[in-house]
Amino acid sequence: MTKGVIAITGPTASGKSALADQVALALGSEVISADAMQVYRGMDIGTAKTPVAERLVPLLLVDIVDPADAYSAALFQRDARREIDRLLEKGQVPILCGGTGLYLRAALDEMDFPSGQIDDGRRQRFQELADALGPEGLHRRLAELDPPSAQAIHPNNVRRVIRALEMLDEGVSYADQKAGFSRPSARYPQVTFALTMDRERLYRRIDERVDRMIADGLVKEVEGLVSQGAGEAITSRQAIGYKEIIDALEGRCSLDEAIELIKMRSRRYAKRQLSWSRRDPRTIWIDMDEMDLEEAVAFVLSESEVVR
RNA sequence: GGCCAGAUAGCUCAGUUGGUAGAGCAGCGGACUGAAAAUCCGCGUGUCGAGGGUUCGACUCCCCCUCUGGCCA
């Protein structure tokens, strides 16, 4: 019998954390968070981190990075696999739960990232090159060096063009790497569940959750982070719920406008998360309109027998 | 009660001399291999308030009705 990993994903505010907690409790295991923003210390309210007192089992890979520091899919892969291996060795079934599709796949599927460190200097250089050449110019540069990769990336997607150029510096073609994505091969025996529900209901839940974050003191949390100098941090600065509040605090918009924007961006984020799950044929869907939490737990347990 | 203005996409509105309609925002779909809550791509979704008339043809003109603002009583 091969033990493997149970993964639970789905759009923001769909109830993944509660489900994962219950499943882990039932199996006597632990939950590994797969969330690009929950890794940051002090970003609690806005990332909807389950409060410590409410956790039924240990929640791993949250609060592991300072908000001023950069984190990445490659680092998550290393960290998550370490936790997965540790639990598997103890005979437990790891529950990987989170909404960051890339992180989930980086942990569970074969995915090789070129060399070791991110070279900030090099990235900066490419960014400057991009500013100088413009999107088209930068894309043309990539086309000269690596036509297949240029073909695969839209010229306007400067961020990815830069990444492809970085990879080329390390002797790897973006196009080659990307090819593996369409036919993923599992690193661990695994079953991935994705939550879904009626779109209007989901959006209502998102709105309510944002209002609750504000009521729970999101503004104060952001003020605290900014006063610690995290306002400039590259990654945490991208988090929905944080960048908007910072804009409000610095007078670029009203608080009400910021709140509406948080809701809107959360909706779009939820859509992107769903689209990530849809394209993976291995996804087992859980329609939360038709199951309550208890039924969903039972469903996950029965559908995951092959890995536990 | 009278007069005026308006009624077109989910919202705010545009619509040229009559040829069945288009912008922004919202929304929807997609991509994704070291920033991923990031980044990027694609898509108008419509009884033009209802009914009648003129016309080959009406969102455009005429009549009537309904509703919403405003003004006068």
Side-chain angles (χ1 to χ4, degrees):
Chain A
M1 95 179 156
T2 19
K3 292 219 183 212
V5 180
I6 297 175
I8 297 176
T9 187
T12 183
S14 60
K16 343 179 245 306
S17 299
L19 178 58
D21 233 18
Q22 292 285 349
V23 170
L25 185 67
L27 294 177
S29 188
E30 303 179 8
V31 175
I32 302 168
S33 164
D35 186 301
M37 294 300 157
Q38 289 192 2
V39 297
Y40 290 104
R41 259 176 242 119
M43 293 173 64
D44 301 331
I45 298 171
T47 63
K49 226 175 261 172
T50 308
V52 177
E54 293 172 23
R55 294 176 197 168
L56 305 176
V57 301
L59 180 59
L60 309 167
L61 300 192
V62 296
D63 303 329
I64 56 169
V65 191
D66 193 87
D69 292 340
Y71 196 65
S72 71
L75 294 174
F76 179 80
Q77 179 181 65
R78 180 199 65 194
D79 295 339
R81 286 179 176 177
R82 190 186 60 227
E83 299 293 356
I84 289 170
D85 293 340
R86 184 179 62 79
L87 289 167
L88 286 175
E89 273 167 34
K90 290 199 294 174
Q92 292 172 300
V93 178
I95 313 300
L96 192 60
C97 172
T100 305
L102 179 63
Y103 282 19
L104 222 54
R105 291 332 336 155
L108 296 180
D109 292 337
E110 293 301 346
M111 198 180 272
D112 291 323
F113 299 108
S115 83
Q117 297 297 308
I118 308 172
D119 185 338
D120 285 332
R122 179 171 56 204
R123 180 162 288 182
Q124 174 111 26
R125 254 182 15 251
F126 279 124
Q127 186 59 59
E128 281 160 14
L129 188 64
D131 294 341
L133 299 177
E136 297 286 344
L138 191 73
H139 190 260
R140 255 196 307 281
R141 171 70 56 92
L142 178 62
E144 289 160 13
L145 301 170
D146 180 4
S149 293
Q151 183 75 29
I153 305 172
H154 193 283
N156 288 349
N157 203 345
V158 176
R159 205 130 149 163
R160 205 153 284 154
V161 174
I162 289 178
R163 178 63 199 141
L165 289 166
E166 285 179 354
M167 289 169 70
L168 221 50
D169 260 15
E170 300 188 5
V172 182
S173 165
Y174 173 91
D176 290 347
Q177 295 264 310
K178 179 176 137 54
F181 209 40
S182 47
R183 28 188 163 74
S185 68
R187 179 184 176 85
Y188 299 97
Q190 55 179 285
V191 188
T192 299
F193 298 90
L195 307 193
T196 184
M197 69 176 68
D198 172 72
R199 194 60 66 88
E200 289 200 10
R201 180 170 164 235
L202 179 65
Y203 286 179
R204 231 170 11 247
R205 288 171 59 111
I206 288 174
D207 288 351
E208 285 164 10
R209 174 137 104 174
V210 172
D211 288 334
R212 209 175 321 124
M213 286 174 178
I214 296 296
D216 288 348
L218 179 59
V219 175
K220 197 157 222 80
E221 178 171 293
V222 176
E223 276 171 345
L225 290 166
V226 170
S227 72
Q228 291 165 32
E232 299 302 309
I234 178 74
T235 307
S236 50
R237 176 75 232 241
Q238 301 181 142
I240 296 172
Y242 292 83
K243 52 188 165 192
E244 296 83 1
I245 297 294
I246 289 173
D247 283 343
L249 288 173
E250 295 180 355
R252 283 185 290 275
C253 67
S254 72
L255 182 59
D256 284 347
E257 285 167 342
I259 292 170
E260 282 315 303
L261 204 53
I262 292 170
K263 291 175 178 173
M264 189 190 90
R265 289 187 174 150
S266 297
R267 290 197 289 272
R268 292 180 175 171
Y269 174 45
K271 259 157 45 73
R272 273 179 274 133
Q273 290 174 306
L274 285 166
S275 137
W276 194 284
S277 288
R278 270 189 219 115
R279 77 138 158 197
D280 191 331
R282 298 170 296 180
T283 299
I284 298 177
W285 290 95
I286 301 182
D287 187 344
M288 294 305 279
D289 292 326
E290 286 168 7
M291 276 186 221
D292 60 23
L293 183 58
E294 202 181 324
E295 291 168 325
V297 172
F299 179 76
V300 168
L301 292 177
S302 78
E303 293 292 315
S304 63
E305 265 165 354
V306 287
V307 298
R308 56 185 184 83

